[in-house]
Amino acid sequence: MLRDMDVDPGPIVQRILLGAELREARETRGLSTAAASKALDWYSGKLSKIEAGDMKTKDADLRRAVEVYEIDAERARRLQVLATDSRRRLPPARVPEWAAKYVHLVAAASELRIWSVDTFPGTVQTEAYARAMLTESVVVSPADVDRMAEDRARRAERWETDDSTALWLIVGEEALRREIGGPPVLREQLVRVRELAERPNITVQIVPYQSGAHSSHGLAFSLITIFPGRPGVVYVEGLTSSDYLGREHARSYGVAYDRLRAVANSRIASVAMLDQRISDLT
């Protein structure tokens, strides 16, 4: 069901996809979470965990869900493949445990839309920029900083060769001004983003200070689309946790993102801003 990839996105993605499929099947049957849990004879909270991708689905549980939700044979077969793949073992990504799903979802995405208020997101960070950010984190051990920075930069390198995933990156102007790691580190990061902006599958836009109020003050988020034309997942990260929001939230966040695109500078004007800031830091 996943698009062809050279990198295995890992069982976490399959678990999330399986949960989303089961949730859709439940809603199609018109069952609330409570009613479905009762019909499935599952303890309170189990269904929510499975639908969120936070719990593996046993074969017996899947068979029960197929029966209760009246899922057709072909779809049941596909769900069984997902369930089997979701139980594979894979070394965890070197990110905080609560953010690990995001790394694997990004690896499987057909489209990724990111809004970052005042910094460049980990998805495109250089190693030095990532290290400067991680050093100030209150949830990352100092012993893990270098290794995590290296891994983050390695994942970001995919955009230099990967034309199959569409990336739309919008950042606030403060990201160009805040000297994370000092002027040389920021300049290197800006050069990286400037180079990425030239790629056919990547769009970079800057929301300037003078644009005034917009739809997403103080809130960074990502919209991750796995299958083109189908609702994706909204990722919202906090200091010590993250939320993965489903399709009922995806529409609102999608509207917010469209409004950000409207108030942001054009691609050409945004690249000009990057060029000017790089020049200032030389």
Side-chain angles (χ1 to χ4, degrees), residues 38 44-45 154 221 230 238 244:
K38 183 176 181 180
S44 178
R154 188 176 304 113
F221 61 90
R230 296 190 60 180
Y244 296 85

Side-chain angles (χ1 to χ4, degrees), residues 47-60:
L47 178 57
S48 295
K49 289 181 179 178
I50 287 178
E51 289 185 353
D54 291 329
M55 182 176 182
K56 296 177 182 178
T57 304
K58 297 179 180 178
D59 287 343

Side-chain angles (χ1 to χ4, degrees), residues 252-264:
S252 294
Y253 277 87
V255 170
Y257 203 86
D258 287 341
R259 291 184 178 180
L260 282 169
R261 290 194 293 195
V263 300

